[in-house]
Amino acid sequence: MNTTPCKHTVFLSDEFNKCIIQHLAVTAYHPTSTCRMGSTIDKNSVVDPELRVKGIEMLRVVYAAVMP
């Protein structure tokens, strides 16, 4: 039993599972821009323009919800 886009792989192998995820995974609902980006003096922002989290040293955010 193999799924159409991944017939070239062995069913339930790591390669098969990776292929299934790449071809069949979808998102349902994902809000964006939930974390405010702003200047270092903007008290309402969570991260600065270089994605450094304010108030926590050596922590950066790499996430699509952080938008200018």
Side-chain angles (χ1 to χ4, degrees), residues 45-48 50-62:
S45 63
V46 178
V47 296
D48 69 13
E50 294 183 27
L51 300 178
R52 293 179 291 215
V53 177
K54 292 181 171 185
I56 303 176
E57 290 184 29
M58 302 194 53
L59 179 63
R60 290 180 187 242
V61 173
V62 182

Side-chain angles (χ1 to χ4, degrees), residues 2-63:
N2 212 331
T3 320
T4 304
C6 302
K7 284 186 176 181
H8 65 282
T9 64
V10 176
F11 183 65
L12 293 181
S13 66
D14 287 346
E15 184 182 8
F16 173 83
N17 292 331
K18 182 178 178 181
C19 179
I20 288 295
I21 291 168
Q22 289 175 334
H23 287 90
L24 302 179
V26 296
T27 59
Y29 175 74
H30 186 78
T32 64
S33 305
T34 56
C35 299
R36 183 174 173 147
M37 178 190 297
S39 69
T40 53
I41 59 171
D42 181 355
K43 294 184 181 193
N44 294 317
S45 63
V46 178
V47 296
D48 69 13
E50 294 183 27
L51 300 178
R52 293 179 291 215
V53 177
K54 292 181 171 185
I56 303 176
E57 290 184 29
M58 302 194 53
L59 179 63
R60 290 180 187 242
V61 173
V62 182
Y63 185 57

